[in-house]
């Protein structure tokens, strides 16, 4: 089972680059890229349940 990842960064270019790097690993899946916390919260409110871990 793949581990799912959400990327939050206000620099879109950096976020997309990180997404591209992570996509090269079979054990991970980027499910969403958000530009800020507000965008992320809105996504969580309209999407199925998530288990959140902060690193």
């Amino acid at each position: 089972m793949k581990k799912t990842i959400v990327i939050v960064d206000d620099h879109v270019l950096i976020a997309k680059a990180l997404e591209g790097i992570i996509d090269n690993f079979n054990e991970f899946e980027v499910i969403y890229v958000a530009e800020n916390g507000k965008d992320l919260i809105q996504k969580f409110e309209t999407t199925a349940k998530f288990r959140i871990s902060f690193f």
Side-chain angles (χ1 to χ4, degrees):
M1 185 167 129
K2 289 186 176 186
K3 293 183 181 180
T4 55
I5 297 175
V6 174
I7 298 171
V8 181
D9 194 310
D10 60 343
H11 296 94
V12 177
L13 186 60
I14 300 297
K16 289 295 185 180
L18 185 56
E19 179 183 23
I21 292 168
I22 292 170
D23 281 344
N24 288 320
F25 295 92
N26 291 330
E27 62 269 16
F28 300 107
E29 177 185 10
V30 176
I31 58 170
Y32 189 64
V33 178
E35 291 184 34
N36 55 52
K38 183 178 179 180
D39 186 27
L40 180 64
I41 290 170
Q42 288 175 346
K43 182 66 174 179
F44 283 165
E45 290 175 343
T46 60
T47 308
K49 294 181 182 178
F50 287 91
R51 181 173 54 186
I52 302 173
S53 298
F54 293 96
F55 298 98

